[in-house]
């Protein structure tokens, strides 16, 4: 269970459901087993998507302000056509020569700093992080991993061991150390405190005879509560891990591909150049495609020792989808749109905060916002119950968001990059309605 699902998971028996929904839930449980979770008090069933909208079987439209896989809009015709065309011609893998995979790698790497020179393909973000760790451990000869305390990086055995947001039932590795995320709402010196925490984690690993291999974070601390500021907050941590012989992995699975507005990648906001970058989710707008980009010198040792083949990773159809996504980001000016609409939305939430003291803090970059809900704005006391009520209230108003953070009290707002100011205004109006009902 990821942090996102945990914050807002459906609880069986908590509310009365219509017969169709209850029946589907029971059938799902019987067939898919006990490990899955559903979002919202009253789970949703969608049959179609288009742009920023999702539609239920009765044709009701829901404004999607949450799903970041379909980042350029649900069922974008350019991507749909690219997939349809490629799957009708050829669907082979990276053991054959294929020009499109090279063209894509060239294009993708051109969006990154020059130091990052190789791109490898995987199918999921977990798969990418798993590979990144193998590369980092091979390069450094170390095992130790430093993450933030509510981070989520994926589901494989190795990656779940450094995904504390999976909760206390999933054991962290003995080689893993957690540090608090840079909480700009509560600390006046986030950068100093964050650097000091990473330095202390490095010392603790060493004290236990574990050589540090890597520090991994996403540029906006998504699961920790969406902390975007100050830009550069991770610089000291990156210097510290490198000084200890480790590498910095930028997990761009959530904040890559223009999500944070002014740049294609979340790490760029911090003015740091990663050793390894992992990506996924929005890369194929719904088609499973993910990847690992790295500095050639970091990848060299792994490449010598290991033979890498990922059956579906980098297959011709995945690459066609991914290339179409880059086309759309460029052609539709989506970075500029994320910056503009994101600022508009943030400003709107800040105005709501002046009327509703439950909104303690509004933060984020581009179209990735965190709105922190508190019971006491002076003491900044987290209020998960009210956050959950807002999330479910918005769901009933046909607007989709979710939650995050260690205390499960931050609204996580992450609309498709094609979100317009009109969509944002609509969302703000509905949020005001929910807040006034709760007040
Ligand atoms: N890293 C981050 C930051 C993520 O948000 C996720 C997915 N929520 C992953 C990795 C794992 O990606 P996937 O679900 O595609 O395996």
């Amino acid at each position: 269970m990821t942090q996102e699902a945990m914050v807002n998971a459906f609880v069986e028996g908590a509310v009365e459901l219509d017969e169709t929904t209850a029946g589907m839930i029971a059938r799902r449980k019987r067939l898919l087993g006990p490990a899955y979770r559903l979002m919202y008090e009253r789970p949703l069933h969608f049959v179609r998507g288009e742009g920023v909208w999702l539609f239920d079987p009765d044709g009701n439209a829901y404004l999607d302000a949450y799903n970041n896989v379909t980042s350029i809009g649900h069922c974008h015709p350019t991507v749909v056509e690219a997939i349809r065309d490629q799957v009708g011609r050829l669907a082979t893998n990276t053991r054959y020569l294929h020009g499109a995979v090279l063209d894509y790698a060239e294009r993708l790497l051109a969006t990154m700093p020059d130091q990052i020179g190789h791109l490898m393909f995987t199918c999921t973000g977990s798969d990418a992080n798993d590979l990144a760790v193998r590369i980092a451990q091979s390069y450094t000869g170390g095992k130790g991993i430093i993450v933030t305390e509510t981070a989520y990086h994926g589901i494989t055995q190795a990656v779940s061991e450094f995904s504390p947001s999976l909760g206390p039932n999933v054991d962290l590795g003995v080689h893993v150390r957690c540090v608090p995320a840079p909480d700009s709402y509560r600390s006046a010196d986030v950068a100093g405190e964050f650097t000091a925490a990473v330095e202390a984690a490095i010392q603790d690993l060493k004290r236990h005879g574990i050589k540090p291999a890597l520090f991994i974070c996403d540029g906006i601390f998504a699961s920790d509560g969406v902390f975007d500021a100050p830009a550069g907050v991770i610089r000291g941590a990156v210097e510290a891990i490198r000084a200890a012989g480790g590498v910095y992995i930028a997990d761009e699975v959530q904040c890559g591909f223009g999500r944070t507005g002014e740049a294609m990648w979340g790490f760029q906001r911090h003015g740091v150049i990663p050793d390894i970058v992992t990506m996924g989710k929005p890369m194929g707008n719904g088609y499973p495609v993910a990847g690992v980009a790295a500095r050639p010198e970091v990848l060299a040792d792994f490449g010598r020792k290991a033979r890498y083949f990922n059956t579906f990773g980098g297959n011709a159809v995945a690459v066609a989808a991914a290339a179409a996504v880059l086309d759309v980001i460029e052609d539709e000016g989506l970075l500029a749109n994320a910056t503009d609409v994101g600022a508009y939305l943030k400003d709107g939430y800040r105005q709501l905060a002046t009327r509703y003291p439950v909104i303690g803090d509004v933060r984020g970059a581009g179209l990735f916002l965190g709105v922190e809900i508190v019971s006491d704005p002076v003491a900044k006391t987290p209020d998960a119950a009210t956050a959950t009520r807002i999330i479910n209230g918005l769901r009933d108003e046909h607007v989709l968001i979710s939650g995050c953070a260690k205390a499960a009290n931050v609204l996580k707002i992450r609309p498709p990059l094609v979100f317009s100011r009109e969509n944002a205004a609509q969302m703000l109006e509905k949020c005001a309605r929910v807040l006034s009902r709760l007040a």
Side-chain angles (χ1 to χ4, degrees):
M1 175 168 53
T2 68
Q3 178 69 16
E4 292 137 69
M6 199 160 62
V7 167
N8 188 38
F10 161 70
V11 179
E12 207 171 336
V15 294
E16 195 151 335
L17 298 169
D18 65 82
E19 211 174 302
T20 313
T21 307
M24 255 183 132
I25 292 171
R27 188 166 168 234
R28 186 179 134 108
K29 193 172 161 190
R30 178 164 52 78
L31 294 167
L32 308 188
Y36 285 91
R37 299 294 183 275
L38 284 160
M39 294 217 285
Y40 305 118
E41 253 171 31
R42 296 187 302 121
L44 285 162
H45 174 197
F46 293 121
V47 292
R48 189 169 75 79
E50 186 181 333
V52 298
W53 300 100
L54 285 166
F55 298 89
D56 72 10
D58 299 322
N60 296 308
Y62 288 72
L63 183 61
D64 187 355
Y66 186 64
N67 286 291
N68 69 333
V69 168
T70 40
S71 181
I72 58 167
H74 290 277
C75 307
H76 196 292
T78 303
V79 180
V80 173
E81 195 40 49
I83 293 169
R84 200 195 322 264
D85 175 64
Q86 187 60 50
V87 80
R89 281 190 296 126
L90 180 74
T92 49
N93 58 58
T94 49
R95 278 186 174 143
Y96 301 100
L97 290 169
H98 189 55
V101 75
L102 306 178
D103 295 341
Y104 181 79
E106 210 157 50
R107 246 179 114 181
L108 195 280
L109 289 168
T111 69
M112 295 208 176
D114 291 344
Q115 288 87 338
I116 298 173
H118 295 316
L119 177 65
M120 295 173 76
F121 291 87
T122 64
C123 302
T124 68
S126 303
D127 192 2
N129 281 330
D130 195 281
L131 175 62
V133 168
R134 288 178 68 199
I135 294 167
Q137 291 180 338
S138 177
Y139 173 67
T140 62
K143 287 277 180 238
I145 296 176
I146 298 168
V147 289
T148 51
E149 65 188 0
T150 316
Y152 180 73
H153 295 292
I155 55 167
T156 68
Q157 173 67 36
V159 178
S160 64
E161 285 188 353
F162 62 92
S163 290
S165 88
L166 288 170
N169 297 327
V170 176
D171 292 333
L172 294 178
V174 290
H175 59 297
V176 174
R177 295 295 179 276
C178 297
V179 296
D183 184 343
S184 51
Y185 180 41
R186 292 181 178 79
S187 160
D189 176 25
V190 260
E193 284 177 17
F194 192 63
T195 305
V198 170
E199 282 168 348
I202 289 169
Q203 290 315 318
D204 192 58
L205 283 169
K206 287 182 177 168
R207 211 167 23 250
H208 288 83
I210 302 164
K211 187 169 186 276
L214 64 104
F215 160 64
I216 181 169
C217 72
D218 77 76
I220 202 154
F221 300 93
S223 298
D224 286 283
V226 190
F227 296 108
D228 63 302
V233 68
I234 61 173
R235 240 177 265 159
V238 171
E239 279 166 22
I241 191 70
R242 286 186 178 143
V247 297
Y248 156 50
I249 300 178
D251 181 335
E252 294 283 339
V253 171
Q254 283 206 45
C255 58
F257 294 95
R259 169 62 48 193
T260 55
E262 68 259 48
M264 185 77 160
W265 305 105
F267 65 79
Q268 289 174 301
R269 291 181 45 256
H270 294 292
V272 286
I273 300 173
D275 300 297
I276 303 174
V277 182
T278 58
M279 64 200 84
K281 286 190 177 225
M283 192 170 175
N285 207 53
Y287 194 95
V289 49
V292 178
R295 297 183 187 236
E297 66 274 22
V298 173
L299 193 48
D301 188 62
F302 178 82
R304 250 190 317 272
K305 293 180 197 153
R307 179 171 51 86
Y308 181 74
F309 176 61
N310 189 322
T311 302
F312 294 114
N315 79 76
V317 185
V319 168
V325 168
L326 290 185
D327 288 341
V328 173
I329 291 174
E330 285 166 20
D331 296 348
E332 297 186 12
L334 293 185
L335 265 62
N337 191 65
T339 306
D340 175 63
V341 179
Y344 177 84
L345 195 58
K346 197 163 159 182
D347 186 54
Y349 271 100
R350 289 202 166 137
Q351 283 175 32
L352 285 179
T354 63
R355 279 158 52 201
Y356 300 100
V358 290
I359 299 182
D361 194 30
V362 178
R363 47 187 187 250
L367 276 171
F368 205 150
L369 263 56
V371 175
E372 178 145 0
I373 305 301
V374 293
S375 55
D376 176 346
V378 178
K380 304 180 177 176
T381 317
D383 186 351
T386 300
T388 301
R389 267 182 231 119
I390 296 169
I391 293 165
N392 282 293
L394 276 170
R395 174 249 175 262
D396 293 342
E397 294 281 347
H398 292 196
V399 177
L400 308 180
I401 64 161
S402 190
C404 60
K406 189 180 179 191
N409 69 318
V410 176
L411 308 182
K412 188 174 181 183
I413 300 167
R414 208 182 41 184
L417 303 184
V418 290
F419 218 60
S420 65
R421 279 186 176 223
E422 193 191 338
N423 298 142
Q426 217 169 349
M427 175 183 194
L428 289 163
E429 189 196 314
K430 294 197 167 180
C431 197
R433 208 182 302 172
V434 171
L435 288 166
S436 75
R437 249 194 333 257
L438 290 176

